Amino acid sequence: MKKLLLALTASLGMIAAAQAQDKDPTLACFVYVGSHNDGGYSEGHDKARLFLQKEMGDEVKTKYVENVSEGPDATRVLQQLARSGCNIIFATSFGFMDSVVKVAKQFPDVKFEHATGYKTADNLATYNARFYEGRYILGKIAAKKSKTGTAGYIVSFPIPEVVRGIDSFMLGAQSVNPDFKIKIVWVNTWFDPGKEADAAKALFDQGVDIIVQHTDSPAPLQIAEKRGKFGFGQASDMSKFAPDAQLTAIVDHWGPYYVQRVKALRDGTWKSQSSWEGLKDKILIMAPYENMSADTKKMAEETEQKIKDGFDPFTGPITKQDGSVWLKKGETAKDETLLGLNFYVKGVDDKLPQ
Amino acid sequence: MNLFLAMLPTIMTAATPLLLAAVGELVVERSGVLNLGVEGMMIIGAVTAFAGAQATGSPYAGMVCGILAGAAFSLLFGFLTLTLVANQVATGLSLTILGLGLSGMIGDSFVGTPGIQMGALPIPGLAEIPVVGPILFSHDLIFYLSILLVIAVHWFLFRTRTGLELRSIGDNHDSAHALGMGVIRVRYLAVMFGGACAGLAGAQLSLVYTPQWTENMTAGRGWIALALVVFASWRPVWVLVGAYLFGAVSIGQFNAQAFGFGIPSQFLSSMPYLATVVVLVLISRNRRLTLMNTPACLGKPFVPDR
């Protein structure tokens, strides 16, 4: 009897253990450079974290650390997360790159994913989104919508990501109106509502009627709304702030990628890679096309579909700003060139800060 | 010319928060207290004003909330430095850090909510004057308050007996105490005035400048206000000049960029700061004037002998 009981408990124990192994949730951890509700970039990642949680339910547990400054602080946070039992860690800012490379080496059993970076290892993958595809559509809308033939462009820092956006926007605009002009204003910050608003006012004062921004606050759109002009949202749908001014927005949508990677980890199929996906993979989506004629809307939707079907905005013939040929007819840009892009295309009337 | 006229209202909006916070801090420093917590009080004012406007639906009620919150928050600084005689520099810095963190927590649910804009209040009669009217007399209430405040503070400091007392406390608190002046009492009031002004400056940011709440939206304006006080050698009218100069160069550089003059944007971005440094150097050539205006007891702890 005693033996039977013992055997019974033992087998029960084994079943429980096996079940636990099956059900053991994966712990996915996130590191944000801003706060989880910054209304822009970091919030995009946090929404994706919640999406992951919802999609996978009991199979996953998530936690995040916010406002982590780039540098030694990031290294410390990553080490601490790795030690505390995280199975996969998403470092969501470009500036975490060196920290994540270092910590990935120290913890070979933990998987690391670094957003917008370019250094990989056996347990370190990178992921990024082709935001410039969205900016091509913005360019086409702006050129069609603008009465003055000039758009204002508020930008943060001259890094390849931003330059890609300007070039792609310009190519889109030129495909509608070859003489389209943009006025570029560098505010040298990602986030300062006051400065962004001032830049928008300066641009409107100089006669542009549409503004594009590569900074994170909705302030420029609010100014556009107040002045009866137009603009585009950044990183999230900002139509609440400017219901009559927002034409559309490029919305970050990292959620499906996170689900895919955590599932891969659970299946044992996770491999290091450099993922750079675009509109067709739904890693970025376009907010509803509003405040424009049916004609313009149709053009925007067709362009979006065309890109989803494989069209590359950087398809030749494309001439550089200095007049030399970049891409011949039919040729498309290589990813390496795009990742380090440091020149304007023809028609951009600005000197790129070096 | 038209562009210049179009720029003026923009410059005024940009200069107003700096002016308000700086005038408040000027009074604090004239009483001999150095409060480095301007940034923190400002952002507390911004978040409270936003919350107040959301709760009541009125930007004016929001503004009052911002003023009160700034003053209340400054009391914390007052208690620590005046009653407990803690180090003013360290306390001021921690007030800034606390304010930034606390405001983020309070404002958590307001992120992504469009704010309530405080509209313009054209002054009847004056606003109809061609050219000058739309530029000077068609602003929001906080703008008018900022100008009135400069005049009032100037009059108070240099034309009233209480103002004289406040200045003498800032210059020599021991003598003032010996003469029977309430050093601690006056300093408490000055600190609270500074807090109220910083709170109003914050309210301007979240109700007029950019009607929204986002974490860290003051973006260093409190520090610029602190620098403006030194820039102005503790004289209210010069704070006005400094704030407008800073605003004009900031806005001017955006316009210069949009014009496409081909000047490197990094250089243009540094222009407001460069201009401030240049003027500061020019002013400080007059040693006597600077020495005369600097409160001699600035930042020094005061422990009354009993």
Side-chain angles (χ1 to χ4, degrees), chain A residues 160-348:
Chain A
E161 167 76 39
V162 171
V163 178
R164 261 199 315 272
I166 296 173
D167 282 350
S168 184
F169 176 86
M170 204 56 194
L171 292 172
Q174 285 169 343
S175 73
V176 175
N177 171 5
D179 296 325
F180 197 75
K181 295 255 177 305
I182 49 174
K183 287 179 184 285
I184 296 179
V185 170
W186 298 90
V187 289
N188 291 308
T189 173
W190 283 109
F191 186 82
D192 180 339
K195 262 192 189 169
E196 293 170 49
D198 290 343
K201 286 179 193 165
L203 286 163
F204 286 133
D205 286 345
Q206 295 202 10
V208 313
D209 53 359
I210 289 182
I211 44 164
V212 197
Q213 60 182 102
H214 208 141
T215 51
D216 290 340
S217 95
L221 270 176
Q222 282 185 312
I223 301 296
E225 176 89 8
K226 211 173 149 190
R227 300 222 180 170
K229 303 285 168 61
F230 300 96
F232 300 98
Q234 155 86 358
S236 61
D237 188 342
M238 296 175 170
S239 56
K240 259 196 296 182
F241 286 92
D244 300 322
Q246 180 180 290
L247 297 167
T248 180
I250 303 171
V251 180
D252 300 3
H253 193 53
W254 307 100
Y257 178 79
Y258 289 156
V259 172
Q260 179 202 331
R261 295 304 275 169
V262 173
K263 280 202 169 132
L265 180 64
R266 288 181 75 83
D267 301 345
T269 56
W270 190 97
K271 269 205 323 256
S272 175
Q273 60 176 31
S274 299
S275 151
W276 197 16
E277 298 179 326
L279 276 170
K280 74 168 162 27
D281 315 283
K282 297 200 171 63
I283 197 159
L284 65 145
I285 47 182
M286 303 303 289
Y289 299 108
E290 288 167 332
N291 301 317
M292 59 182 83
S293 66
D295 202 26
T296 313
K297 187 174 172 185
K298 190 161 160 267
M299 178 200 68
E301 281 164 351
E302 280 169 5
T303 312
E304 187 181 338
Q305 194 51 49
K306 199 169 127 193
I307 294 174
K308 282 179 179 161
D309 292 342
F311 169 75
D312 185 343
F314 290 106
T315 302
I318 299 175
T319 316
K320 290 187 192 177
Q321 188 184 32
D322 60 14
S324 61
V325 176
W326 175 21
L327 297 169
K328 291 194 203 77
K329 192 169 181 347
E331 196 184 355
T332 54
K334 289 194 188 74
D335 276 358
E336 301 93 89
T337 319
L338 289 180
L339 281 168
L341 199 66
N342 60 355
F343 55 83
Y344 286 140
V345 295
K346 197 170 166 228
V348 179

Side-chain angles (χ1 to χ4, degrees), chain A residues 37 186 188 198 206 222 240, chain B residues 108 111-112 209 211 255 257 269:
Chain A
N37 61 357
W186 298 90
N188 291 308
D198 290 343
Q206 295 202 10
Q222 282 185 312
K240 259 196 296 182
Chain B
D108 197 72
V111 178
Y209 204 159
N255 275 283
Q257 282 197 47
S269 301

Side-chain angles (χ1 to χ4, degrees), chain B residues 35-57:
Chain B
N35 185 355
L36 296 182
V38 181
E39 178 91 0
M41 300 185 297
M42 204 165 167
I43 196 133
I44 287 288
V47 72
T48 323
F50 188 92
Q54 290 290 325
T56 60

Side-chain angles (χ1 to χ4, degrees), chain A residues 31-83:
Chain A
V31 187
Y32 306 142
V33 69
S35 68
H36 73 285
N37 61 357
D38 64 354
Y41 184 77
S42 291
E43 185 170 321
H45 285 285
D46 198 59
K47 277 191 185 145
R49 179 184 67 83
L50 295 170
F51 178 86
L52 168 72
Q53 187 73 71
K54 206 174 126 220
E55 284 288 300
M56 298 193 62
D58 294 342
E59 291 179 68
V60 68
K61 267 191 180 159
T62 63
K63 68 173 175 183
Y64 66 88
V65 184
E66 59 186 344
N67 291 319
V68 177
S69 51
E70 298 164 344
D73 231 17
T75 311
R76 186 180 54 73
V77 168
L78 286 164
Q79 280 170 338
Q80 201 246 325
L81 285 175
R83 224 173 266 132

